[in-house]
Each structure stands twice: as structure tokens, then as C-alpha cells.
Amino acid sequence: MSRGRFISFEGIDGAGKSTQHKWLVEHLKSQGRQVVATREPGGTPLGEKLRALLLAEPMHLETEALLMFAARREHLAAVIEPALARGDWVVCDRFVDASFAYQGGGRGLDWGKLKTLADWVLGSLRPDLTFIFDVPVAVAQKRLHAATDKPDRFEQEHAEFFERVRGAYLRIAHAEARRVRLIDATKHPDEINKELEKIIATI
Ligand code: TYD
């Protein structure tokens, strides 16, 4: 049995990553692969309940980080680890980098605390490949306003918050260039599809 792969999608709200996530899932299925399409926060019944709280309820920034990692722990145990053990491909809309970018970069939570949580919850497991969809904040906000009439707790954040989230994503892309591919998300979706297709063929 061939080994499965773990691919995550990241980027600020409005970068267009969810559209590309859907496209890649269909593309991999059309190649005959067994694919588990999932997302964070969420991906399990308990995780989806935590997601509803996280997107709606005001809370302390450490509570927010802990709930993100609690949902992740459940997701790993119930969905991701069994899928990888079966040899499936797991394609996840956001994963641990979002905690560093949003709770660390955006909210200012200590990076060391996040590392402790990541080491605890993930051990040595990391995605084989992570796409970070990068776009200027003004472009993302325009897309977001056009697509959503009821923004959630994160989508309601101001431009400076997203500048910090974007900055953290760029630092991660720079520091982990072997795992992370930075995608210029201002390009036409068809062009991005082609880029993803090429990269996927190399892993
Ligand atoms: P998102 O994928 O943007 O959902 P949708 O496209 O349906 O709006 O994810 C929801 C929000 O959760 C997003 O604003 C980022 C935030 N988030 C964190 O702050 N930390 C995390 O660890 C994760 C996984 C998500």
C-alpha cells in the first residue's frame, strides 16, 4: 500500500484558499486517489461544536488557542491519523500554521506557548506539504465583503490584525521553505490550479 499524504491549505480570510481546496480534492479524486477532505477548526462532530463557539463567542486569547488545539487533538485522533494509516490523502483546509498566524501573529499570543501546544498535540507530525495563499490585505478584504454578509468573529477583525496574520504566514513560509509553498493568490484561479497540479505531481 502506498503511503498517504497530508496537505494543508492556509492564508488570511478572503485569500481564496477554500475554492482551491475544493479544486484539489476533486483533482486528486479524479486521479483515483482515496481523499479525506477536512477542515479546521472542525472536522469531527466535537470539533464542529468547538468551531461554532470559536467563531461566535468572545473569549480570552489563551482560551481561543487551547480550544483550537483541543479541536485539533480530536481531529488527529479521529480522522487524520487513521486516514494516513490507511494510505489516504488528507487535504485539510487550515491546520497548525493557522494557530501560529492568527493566535500568535494576529492576537499576539506568545510563540513559545504555541510551540509547546503544537509539540504536545502533534508530536512530530506535520503536513507533508502546506500551501499558503498570499494576497494583500486590501484585496482579501474586498473579496471577503463581496462573499459574506454575516462575517464571523475573525472576519470582523480590522486590517491591522490581518496584516499581522499575513506577516506571520510569510515568516513561516520563509522559515519552512521545504514544507511550505507560497502561492500568489492574486492570480487567476485557473492559473493557480495549474500551479498546484505541478507541485502535487512532485510529492
Ligand atoms: P476559515 O477556513 O476561514 O473558515 P471559512 O472560510 O468558512 O470562514 O476558518 C475559520 C477561522 O478560524 C479563520 O478566520 C481563521 C481561524 N483559525 C484560527 O484563528 N486558528 C486556527 O488554528 C485555525 C485552524 C483557524
Coordinates of all heavy atoms in Angstrom, one line a residue, residues 13 17-18 39-41 51 55 64 68 72 93-96 98-99 102-103 152 154-155, ligand 1:
D13 N -8.1 35.3 5.8 CA -9.5 35.2 5.3 C -9.7 36.0 4.0 O -9.2 37.2 4.0 CB -10.5 35.8 6.4 CG -10.6 34.9 7.6 OD1 -9.7 35.0 8.5 OD2 -11.5 34.1 7.6
K17 N -8.5 30.4 -0.5 CA -7.9 29.1 -0.3 C -9.0 28.0 -0.3 O -8.7 26.9 -0.8 CB -7.1 29.0 0.9 CG -7.9 29.1 2.1 CD -7.3 28.9 3.4 CE -8.3 29.2 4.5 NZ -9.7 28.7 4.4
S18 N -10.2 28.3 0.1 CA -11.2 27.3 0.2 C -11.6 26.8 -1.2 O -11.9 25.6 -1.4 CB -12.5 27.7 1.0 OG -12.0 28.0 2.3
R39 N -11.4 20.0 7.5 CA -11.1 21.4 7.8 C -10.9 21.6 9.3 O -11.3 20.8 10.1 CB -12.2 22.3 7.4 CG -13.5 22.2 8.2 CD -14.5 23.2 7.8 NE -15.7 23.1 8.6 CZ -16.7 23.9 8.5 NH1 -16.7 24.9 7.6 NH2 -17.8 23.8 9.2
E40 N -10.2 22.8 9.6 CA -10.0 23.2 11.0 C -10.4 24.6 11.2 O -10.1 25.4 10.2 CB -8.6 23.0 11.4 CG -8.3 21.5 11.6 CD -7.1 21.2 12.5 OE1 -6.4 22.2 12.9 OE2 -6.9 20.1 12.9
P41 N -10.9 25.1 12.3 CA -11.3 24.2 13.4 C -12.5 23.4 12.9 O -13.3 23.9 12.2 CB -11.7 25.1 14.5 CG -12.0 26.5 13.9 CD -11.1 26.5 12.7
R51 N -15.8 24.7 16.8 CA -15.7 25.7 15.8 C -16.8 26.8 15.9 O -16.6 28.0 15.8 CB -15.9 25.1 14.4 CG -15.8 26.1 13.2 CD -16.2 25.4 11.9 NE -16.2 26.4 10.8 CZ -15.1 26.7 10.1 NH1 -14.0 26.1 10.3 NH2 -15.2 27.6 9.1
L55 N -16.0 30.7 16.5 CA -16.3 31.7 15.5 C -17.3 32.8 16.0 O -17.5 33.8 15.4 CB -16.8 31.1 14.2 CG -15.9 30.2 13.4 CD1 -16.4 29.9 12.1 CD2 -14.5 30.8 13.3
E64 N -8.9 30.8 23.4 CA -9.1 30.6 21.9 C -8.0 29.6 21.4 O -8.3 28.6 20.7 CB -8.9 31.9 21.3 CG -9.1 31.9 19.8 CD -9.0 33.3 19.2 OE1 -10.0 34.1 19.4 OE2 -8.0 33.6 18.6
M68 N -8.6 25.8 20.0 CA -8.2 25.4 18.6 C -7.4 24.1 18.7 O -7.6 23.2 17.9 CB -7.2 26.5 18.0 CG -7.9 27.8 17.7 SD -9.0 27.6 16.2 CE -9.6 29.3 16.1
R72 N -8.1 20.2 17.4 CA -7.1 19.6 16.6 C -6.7 18.2 17.1 O -6.5 17.3 16.4 CB -5.9 20.5 16.6 CG -4.8 20.1 15.7 CD -3.8 21.2 15.4 NE -4.5 22.3 14.7 CZ -4.5 23.6 15.0 NH1 -3.7 24.0 16.0 NH2 -5.1 24.4 14.3
D93 N -8.3 22.1 5.1 CA -8.5 23.5 5.0 C -8.1 24.1 6.3 O -8.9 24.1 7.2 CB -9.9 23.8 4.6 CG -10.1 25.2 4.1 OD1 -9.2 26.1 4.3 OD2 -11.2 25.5 3.5
R94 N -6.9 24.6 6.4 CA -6.2 25.1 7.7 C -5.8 24.0 8.6 O -6.5 23.0 8.8 CB -7.1 26.1 8.5 CG -7.5 27.3 7.8 CD -8.1 28.3 8.7 NE -8.7 29.5 8.1 CZ -7.9 30.5 7.6 NH1 -6.6 30.4 7.7 NH2 -8.5 31.5 7.0
F95 N -4.6 24.2 9.2 CA -4.1 23.3 10.2 C -3.3 24.1 11.2 O -3.6 25.3 11.4 CB -3.3 22.2 9.5 CG -3.0 21.0 10.5 CD1 -4.0 20.3 11.1 CD2 -1.7 20.7 10.7 CE1 -3.7 19.2 12.0 CE2 -1.3 19.6 11.6 CZ -2.3 18.9 12.2
V96 N -2.2 23.6 11.7 CA -1.5 24.2 12.9 C -0.9 25.6 12.5 O -0.9 26.5 13.4 CB -0.4 23.3 13.4 CG1 0.8 23.1 12.5 CG2 0.1 23.7 14.8
A98 N -2.2 27.9 11.1 CA -3.3 29.0 11.4 C -3.2 29.4 12.8 O -3.5 30.6 13.1 CB -4.7 28.5 11.0
S99 N -2.8 28.5 13.7 CA -2.8 28.9 15.2 C -1.6 29.9 15.4 O -1.7 30.8 16.1 CB -2.6 27.7 16.0 OG -3.7 26.9 16.0
Y102 N -2.8 33.2 13.4 CA -3.9 34.0 14.0 C -3.7 34.3 15.5 O -3.8 35.4 15.9 CB -5.2 33.3 13.7 CG -5.8 33.5 12.3 CD1 -5.3 32.8 11.2 CD2 -6.8 34.4 12.1 CE1 -5.8 33.0 10.0 CE2 -7.3 34.6 10.8 CZ -6.8 33.9 9.8 OH -7.3 34.1 8.5
Q103 N -3.5 33.2 16.2 CA -3.4 33.4 17.7 C -2.0 34.0 18.0 O -1.9 34.9 18.9 CB -3.5 32.1 18.5 CG -5.0 31.6 18.6 CD -5.7 31.3 17.3 OE1 -5.2 30.4 16.5 NE2 -6.8 32.0 17.0
D152 N -17.9 36.3 10.5 CA -17.7 35.7 11.9 C -16.7 36.6 12.7 O -16.3 37.6 12.2 CB -17.3 34.2 11.7 CG -15.9 34.1 11.1 OD1 -15.0 34.9 11.3 OD2 -15.8 33.1 10.3
F154 N -13.7 36.3 13.4 CA -12.3 36.5 12.9 C -12.5 37.5 11.7 O -11.7 38.4 11.5 CB -11.6 35.2 12.4 CG -11.2 34.4 13.6 CD1 -12.0 33.3 14.0 CD2 -10.1 34.7 14.3 CE1 -11.7 32.6 15.2 CE2 -9.7 33.9 15.4 CZ -10.5 32.9 15.8
E155 N -13.5 37.2 10.8 CA -13.7 38.0 9.6 C -14.0 39.5 10.0 O -13.8 40.4 9.1 CB -14.8 37.4 8.8 CG -14.4 36.1 8.1 CD -15.6 35.3 7.6 OE1 -16.8 35.6 7.9 OE2 -15.4 34.4 6.8
Ligands
TYD1 P1 -12.0 29.6 7.7 O1 -11.2 28.5 7.0 O2 -11.6 30.9 7.2 O3 -13.5 29.3 7.5 P2 -14.5 30.0 6.5 O4 -13.8 30.0 5.1 O5 -15.7 29.1 6.5 O6 -14.8 31.4 7.0 O7 -11.6 29.3 9.3 C1 -12.3 30.0 10.3 C2 -11.5 30.9 11.1 O8 -10.7 30.2 12.1 C3 -10.5 31.7 10.3 O9 -10.8 33.1 10.4 C4 -9.1 31.5 11.0 C5 -9.5 30.9 12.3 N1 -8.5 30.0 12.8 C6 -7.6 30.4 13.9 O10 -7.7 31.5 14.3 N2 -6.7 29.5 14.4 C7 -6.6 28.2 14.0 O11 -5.8 27.4 14.5 C8 -7.5 27.8 12.9 C9 -7.4 26.4 12.4 C10 -8.4 28.7 12.4

